[in-house]
Amino acid sequence: MSELDPQIPSAFDPFAEANAEDSGAGSKEYVHIRIQQRNGRKSLTTVQGLKKDYSYNKILKDLKKEFCCNGTVVQDSELGQVIQLQGDQRKNVSSFLIQAGIVKKDHIKIHGF
Amino acid sequence: MVALPLNLGITEEPTFTGLKKKKKKQVHTDLLDIESHNAEEDINDPIGEDEKPWEGTDRDYKYEELLSRVFNTLRESNPELAGEKRKTILKIPEVLREGTKKTVFVNLVDICKMMHRQPEHVMTFLLAELGTSGSLDGQQRLVVKGRFAPKSFEGILRRYMNEYVICNSCKGGDTRIEKDKENRLIFLKCDKCGSERSVAPIKAGFVARVGRRKAET
């Protein structure tokens, strides 16, 4: 019985701090918001790089309701799941993601004209 | 018959629209308040420091106080040496429309020369940011698919300069791109102050499929 005492893991987890820091600053997974042109004045907004744990369908549904636009989730072979929205929704999407707490402001990169 | 408004406390329509508007205003003012509050704090702090917070007491100078003293005296006596100049040689990008669906960027090669950059590098960045396809034609002009305003080109060029041309420490524009052979990293080396920093390679990103499906087989 006395043997088990030193083997009981202590409550202090030395890797906890490292893990928390890593997910915060080390991995640098950016969320890219891009825009593409379609015919006329129409455009497409693309959101790429969100964490895979999130339910993309729910996020998409909220985005569609919030901005009154259509959208879809596209499966890309290399880049994973990408959210596509109709119209120029870059600013709307970025403020939505920040307010919902899904992404932090530093992790968002907005591209495009 | 005109329906008299019964004051049952169920005044739906006026409060509904009122609520909606208020909601938007509240959100906006919250953000604005936070921003202006932060700006005010920032403005107030240096003004406070100008009154020499160390005068009354006997303590040592703090690092920030020393820094601000140095820069203030430098700015007063030798404004050029403070070295806060940006690259003010920005040429205006000239863009023309070619037909209805294409935009031509005429000055690309000239601007690249002013920045000491390879036109291909700048071109890759432009195409990645715009999200379209394009190519350099025989006269070294960049033909981009789509309709873009000159202002948008300016914005993208400014972003390119901030990330890939301007040195972070001396804000100078005499930089070179070097590829580190061992690690396959890309470094930005400044000629004026000699500092090096790593930059990310230009990745194209996700390009949604726009256009006709029948054209592709």
Side-chain angles (χ1 to χ4, degrees), chain B residues 127-140:
Chain B
L127 294 178
E129 287 289 304
L130 293 171
T132 51
S133 53
S135 56
L136 280 169
D137 68 358
Q139 295 170 21
Q140 298 296 312

Side-chain angles (χ1 to χ4, degrees), chain B residues 88-142:
Chain B
T88 43
I89 333 168
L90 289 164
K91 261 194 182 180
I92 300 174
E94 286 170 20
V95 293
L96 312 163
R97 289 284 144 72
E98 186 174 300
T100 42
K101 293 189 187 169
K102 289 192 184 170
T103 311
V104 175
F105 188 179
V106 185
N107 280 357
L108 183 72
V109 187
D110 301 331
I111 292 180
C112 292
K113 279 189 194 153
M114 310 263 8
M115 294 194 287
H116 312 292
R117 283 278 169 277
Q118 298 284 341
E120 287 91 25
H121 198 248
V122 187
M123 193 181 88
T124 344
F125 184 81
L126 278 178
L127 294 178
E129 287 289 304
L130 293 171
T132 51
S133 53
S135 56
L136 280 169
D137 68 358
Q139 295 170 21
Q140 298 296 312
R141 311 188 303 174
L142 178 66

Side-chain angles (χ1 to χ4, degrees), chain B residues 137-154:
Chain B
D137 68 358
Q139 295 170 21
Q140 298 296 312
R141 311 188 303 174
L142 178 66
V143 181
V144 185
K145 190 174 151 205
R147 300 208 291 249
F148 299 101
K151 283 236 162 179
S152 43
F153 278 101
E154 262 182 56

Side-chain angles (χ1 to χ4, degrees), chain A residues 62-109:
Chain A
D62 273 338
L63 285 171
K64 281 162 67 170
K65 276 206 187 261
E66 185 80 22
F67 313 137
C68 310
C69 65
N70 199 1
T72 171
V73 175
V74 179
Q75 309 282 350
D76 191 56
S77 44
E78 317 160 342
L79 302 164
Q81 290 183 311
V82 182
I83 294 183
Q84 235 175 269
L85 295 166
Q86 287 182 2
D88 185 4
Q89 314 282 1
R90 286 173 291 163
K91 286 197 181 160
N92 296 348
V93 170
S94 96
S95 56
F96 177 88
L97 291 176
I98 295 173
Q99 276 186 349
I102 299 177
V103 199
K104 282 192 201 158
K105 200 173 168 190
D106 330 330
H107 293 316
I108 293 189
K109 291 228 167 212

